[in-house]
Amino acid sequence: MKKLVKSAFDFLLFSNIFMALCAVAQALVTFHLIDANPVPEVLGLLFTSTLGIYNFSILLSKPKYPQKSPYRRVRWFFSHYRLMVTFTIVSLLTLVPLFFMISTQSRVLLIFLSILSFCYSLPLFSLGNQKFGLRNIPGLKPFLITVVWTLSCVLLPIFEAQDNHITDISMRDIAILIAKRFLLIGALTVPFDIRDLFQDRQMGLKTIPVAWGEKNAYLFCQFLLGGYIILLFLFRHNGFNADFFALTLTAVLTGWLIVKSTWEKNEYYYFFYLDGVLILQYVMLVAFSIIF
């Protein structure tokens, strides 16, 4: 029974289904904060696009000998190669009908984010004999990930809620929502770079931990979370309500998890606990709204 549960857990995490659920949860956070009912097309788009793009990125970066990789995720993924290719193709094809079910402004946003996502990994540029993608440009890797996640999980729900006339939100409130989410997601991207510090150095990726060092990278994470909490305090909606306490408590827990995320931690810590914060945030919002 224990082996069966572990196999199911590995499947959930390493197939990127859990990551896709994190994207759905973040969209639900936005719908909750703007007091709008969830739009199913948005949730479907975020689930399939996240699953497809993350799997595509792993397939594209396949090492020469996957089963010798130091990462359990890589070994698991390529030991289920055909299944993962099928998942990727199905998820990307599912995007086609969903794409035509959303508003024009959402389509434009989705095209822009898709271009960024694919350019992140594809070796589109060359310098001498060396080819590289956007992720190889110093400091751009965590920034690109944060931008794509923030805009897709904040703007896409807002655009569709407005198009369906189920909410009315000002540009000021949209900007504040984007700023808050950018700081939170930005703080979560850095620990993964800390984990990959030695590998990134060998590959020549100029991430924040590579450029600033591991200790400074941890401090930078806490700085971002501090800024996030300050924005929560300054731009409270209806005072110190359930949403404020739920979001603040989640941010504090995130800071604690990041402190504990030294590079010795196993992959389950990163892909479940740290990524799981994105789901926990929505769970906390729902729980606090019931309690208060």
Side-chain angles (χ1 to χ4, degrees), residues 146-191:
T146 305
V147 166
V148 170
W149 268 83
T150 301
L151 295 184
S152 60
C153 294
V154 175
L155 279 187
L156 196 58
I158 289 175
F159 284 167
E160 288 308 293
Q162 289 178 328
D163 188 67
N164 288 280
H165 307 289
I166 55 179
T167 191
D168 184 21
I169 181 170
S170 67
M171 287 298 297
R172 172 184 175 275
D173 289 338
I174 293 174
I176 293 170
L177 274 174
I178 290 174
K180 290 176 182 176
R181 203 71 56 88
F182 185 89
L183 291 173
L184 177 67
I185 295 176
L188 285 170
T189 62
V190 178

Side-chain angles (χ1 to χ4, degrees), residues 42-289:
V42 171
L43 304 182
L45 269 169
L46 288 174
F47 182 87
T48 54
S49 60
T50 303
L51 182 62
I53 290 172
Y54 268 71
N55 282 352
F56 176 78
S57 179
I58 296 176
L59 290 169
L60 198 65
S61 59
K62 180 182 179 181
K64 190 173 183 180
Y65 301 105
Q67 295 310 313
K68 293 183 179 180
S69 171
Y71 297 113
R72 181 178 179 86
R73 180 196 193 191
V74 174
R75 297 195 302 271
W76 185 95
F77 191 94
F78 288 103
S79 67
H80 300 81
Y81 182 78
R82 290 185 179 180
L83 178 62
M84 293 301 98
V85 169
T86 302
F87 267 32
T88 306
I89 293 173
V90 170
S91 60
L92 293 177
L93 287 177
T94 307
L95 285 173
V96 177
L98 289 170
F99 179 81
F100 291 102
M101 297 171 68
I102 58 176
S103 63
T104 301
Q105 59 183 350
S106 292
R107 292 177 194 172
V108 173
L109 175 64
L110 198 63
I111 291 171
F112 170 70
L113 295 177
S114 298
I115 292 172
L116 277 184
S117 298
F118 284 111
C119 290
Y120 169 76
S121 297
L122 290 172
L124 300 175
F125 312 102
S126 60
L127 184 63
N129 296 324
Q130 186 179 6
K131 291 188 175 182
F132 61 94
L134 290 178
R135 65 180 295 176
N136 299 95
I137 299 175
L140 201 56
K141 177 185 173 184
F143 179 77
L144 279 178
I145 294 173
T146 305
V147 166
V148 170
W149 268 83
T150 301
L151 295 184
S152 60
C153 294
V154 175
L155 279 187
L156 196 58
I158 289 175
F159 284 167
E160 288 308 293
Q162 289 178 328
D163 188 67
N164 288 280
H165 307 289
I166 55 179
T167 191
D168 184 21
I169 181 170
S170 67
M171 287 298 297
R172 172 184 175 275
D173 289 338
I174 293 174
I176 293 170
L177 274 174
I178 290 174
K180 290 176 182 176
R181 203 71 56 88
F182 185 89
L183 291 173
L184 177 67
I185 295 176
L188 285 170
T189 62
V190 178
F192 287 84
D193 287 337
I194 295 173
R195 184 202 63 174
D196 299 335
L197 178 61
F198 300 111
Q199 182 185 23
D200 286 343
R201 277 176 177 163
Q202 292 175 347
M203 294 175 63
L205 295 179
K206 298 296 183 180
T207 61
I208 290 174
V210 172
W212 296 355
E214 185 177 343
K215 182 179 179 180
N216 289 331
Y218 279 121
L219 291 175
F220 181 65
C221 290
Q222 303 304 325
F223 173 78
L224 292 178
L225 286 174
Y228 173 73
I229 292 174
I230 289 172
L231 287 182
L232 286 177
F233 180 80
L234 293 178
F235 301 101
R236 307 183 297 281
H237 184 62
N238 295 328
F240 294 101
N241 59 3
D243 290 350
F244 172 80
F245 289 112
L247 295 174
T248 302
L249 183 58
T250 306
V252 171
L253 178 60
T254 302
W256 181 79
L257 288 171
I258 289 174
V259 168
K260 294 294 182 179
S261 64
T262 56
W263 67 272
E264 294 92 351
K265 294 287 185 182
N266 61 45
E267 291 172 80
Y268 294 108
Y269 187 89
Y270 289 90
F271 293 115
F272 182 68
Y273 288 108
L274 278 179
D275 281 341
V277 165
L278 299 173
I279 294 177
L280 178 65
Q281 190 180 46
Y282 179 65
V283 173
M284 294 287 279
L285 282 170
V286 173
F288 272 67
S289 64

Side-chain angles (χ1 to χ4, degrees), residues 6-67:
K6 189 174 184 301
S7 296
F9 192 58
D10 285 350
F11 174 77
L12 179 68
L13 291 185
F14 301 143
S15 67
N16 288 310
I17 289 177
F18 187 74
M19 201 73 245
L21 292 173
C22 289
V24 171
Q26 282 299 293
L28 290 171
V29 168
T30 301
F31 282 123
H32 177 92
L33 294 176
I34 64 175
D35 196 24
N37 293 324
V39 178
E41 292 83 1
V42 171
L43 304 182
L45 269 169
L46 288 174
F47 182 87
T48 54
S49 60
T50 303
L51 182 62
I53 290 172
Y54 268 71
N55 282 352
F56 176 78
S57 179
I58 296 176
L59 290 169
L60 198 65
S61 59
K62 180 182 179 181
K64 190 173 183 180
Y65 301 105
Q67 295 310 313

